[in-house]
Amino acid sequence: MAVWRLICNFSAYREAIMKTYTLNSDGVLKRYDYLWRMSADRWAWEYLRRNPDFLHDAECRRADDVSERMAPCAPIRLLRSRISQTLAERWGLMMMPDPQQNGFEADVFWSRAAHPDQVEVHCSPRSEEEACGIWDRTVPFCRITHLTDQQGREFLLLRGNGCVVQVRCSGLSLLGMEKIRMKLTISDMDAYERKLKAQRDALEVWGQDYDQQTPLWTKRTQILRDGLIALDCLELGMSRRDIATVLYGKERVESEWPDDRASMRDALKYLVSKAEGLRDGGYLVELLGGRLGPYQTAA
């Protein structure tokens, strides 16, 4: 309960200081609306899957590289890699996802080295009479994917309410016969605030009103969204002025682009540079917090 109260207090504080607003999502921009609830590690995937070097590595991916089956007692997908995931590990991943799938649908599991601020749960035995609040609240509302890595460590992806949460499990195996109880834990007290934020953000996965909500953006998520749009436009051979037209509309661009102060042109130059940096390795530091440079191995 103490952890829960801390999370709720942090939630109220965060909502009080973080300004949100709507954005124009007419036409082609609407296809990016799904991003507004994405966590930082899902934004990292969106940038990585646009990296041409990564796409080259991903071409080696085969559907049967990973075994998949359903759990016998719950609607949970069980994944386990059949092969070494050396190429995936180069990019901070535990296995190679399908780059055609977006941040919500792709089975993206980040390594702990690349993404140290994962939500953590400890699994311990429980009696027949005991309940597990995390399990009871998660299974009815979330799509759950379970991964066992080659060292036998277990991870979960929880999908719900427009959010995706990666969870690292310790203690008893989730695949055993014994009933378990899950508890949120914080193993690194030096990163207490970041871990607490990760736990708080993870609670969003339990909501049920995603389809009825209007996308709300912060300044940070707007820049991240616009950066992805810019990369996609560049891939289509569009100019920076064309990108500005997509983002701001033809009328505004015709009015502001010729301005001698060049504020719009400078803004597009910064946006493209920022997006390319995140795509080409910056996601490891700026979005995952892995403290790794773009040319360092995350595994």
Side-chain angles (χ1 to χ4, degrees):
M1 289 300 294
V3 172
W4 176 263
R5 286 195 295 270
L6 284 170
I7 292 172
C8 292
N9 290 338
F10 184 80
S11 173
Y13 170 74
R14 182 172 179 266
E15 290 176 359
I17 65 172
M18 184 172 290
K19 181 180 179 181
T20 58
Y21 45 84
T22 59
L23 291 174
N24 171 37
S25 60
D26 295 335
V28 70
L29 297 180
K30 190 171 183 62
R31 70 180 63 173
Y32 296 88
D33 280 354
Y34 74 92
L35 294 163
W36 75 281
R37 297 294 295 273
M38 293 286 103
S39 55
D41 63 306
R42 301 302 115 177
W43 282 105
W45 167 247
E46 290 288 353
Y47 276 92
L48 176 58
R49 74 188 186 103
R50 289 165 168 83
N51 182 303
D53 293 331
F54 172 74
L55 292 175
H56 180 268
D57 283 353
E59 289 178 358
C60 300
R61 174 184 175 275
R62 298 292 180 267
D64 60 355
D65 289 347
V66 176
S67 69
E68 177 177 342
R69 61 187 177 91
M70 294 301 296
C73 58
I76 300 174
R77 295 168 62 229
L78 304 179
L79 307 181
R80 182 187 287 266
S81 178
R82 291 191 174 106
I83 64 170
S84 172
Q85 293 289 336
T86 304
L87 287 178
E89 291 167 358
R90 288 181 55 192
W91 303 96
L93 296 161
M94 299 174 63
M95 68 177 195
M96 186 66 75
D98 181 354
Q100 297 302 314
Q101 293 185 319
N102 63 35
F104 188 79
E105 296 296 339
D107 292 323
V108 177
F109 290 88
W110 298 103
S111 70
R112 188 179 185 183
H115 181 32
D117 296 333
Q118 299 174 25
V119 174
E120 302 172 71
V121 297
H122 182 78
C123 303
S124 57
R126 68 178 174 94
S127 67
E128 292 287 342
E129 295 76 22
E130 282 185 295
C132 175
I134 294 177
W135 177 267
D136 293 341
R137 292 196 62 178
T138 301
V139 174
F141 300 115
C142 299
R143 291 163 46 197
I144 305 174
T145 302
H146 175 283
L147 172 70
T148 304
D149 71 6
Q150 293 188 316
Q151 287 73 44
R153 295 170 297 200
E154 297 179 47
F155 300 83
L156 298 173
L157 278 187
L158 311 180
R159 296 180 175 93
N161 198 33
C163 307
V164 184
V165 178
Q166 179 174 330
V167 180
R168 184 165 60 88
C169 305
S170 61
L172 289 180
S173 172
L174 296 171
L175 303 179
M177 298 297 292
E178 192 169 7
K179 289 185 176 293
I180 62 165
R181 182 180 181 186
M182 296 178 173
K183 289 186 177 181
L184 290 169
T185 63
I186 295 179
S187 60
D188 183 2
M189 296 308 296
D190 291 335
Y192 176 78
E193 291 294 340
R194 299 200 314 272
K195 297 282 189 179
L196 193 61
K197 179 181 182 299
Q199 290 184 355
R200 180 268 167 195
D201 291 345
L203 299 181
E204 299 287 346
V205 79
W206 286 336
Q208 302 179 61
D209 55 353
Y210 174 71
D211 292 335
Q212 285 73 47
Q213 292 188 34
T214 300
L216 294 175
W217 307 84
T218 65
K219 187 63 177 177
R220 180 172 185 260
T221 57
Q222 179 187 358
I223 291 174
L224 291 172
R225 184 205 74 154
D226 290 353
L228 293 177
I229 294 170
L231 292 177
D232 291 344
C233 290
L234 290 172
E235 183 66 20
L236 295 173
M238 298 170 67
S239 67
R240 289 181 182 173
R241 178 165 180 156
D242 294 334
I243 297 171
T245 301
V246 171
L247 291 172
Y248 310 127
K250 183 177 180 180
E251 183 176 333
R252 181 179 169 189
V253 171
E254 288 180 347
S255 172
E256 298 183 25
W257 193 264
D259 192 328
D260 290 339
R261 290 170 294 181
S263 57
M264 181 178 285
R265 281 176 282 166
D266 287 344
L268 257 294
K269 181 179 179 180
Y270 168 80
L271 180 67
V272 170
S273 176
K274 183 73 172 178
E276 290 177 336
L278 290 172
R279 177 197 65 191
D280 297 339
Y283 69 91
L284 287 166
V285 175
E286 296 194 44
L287 295 174
L288 295 178
R291 307 298 184 264
L292 297 172
Y295 304 108
Q296 292 179 265
T297 301

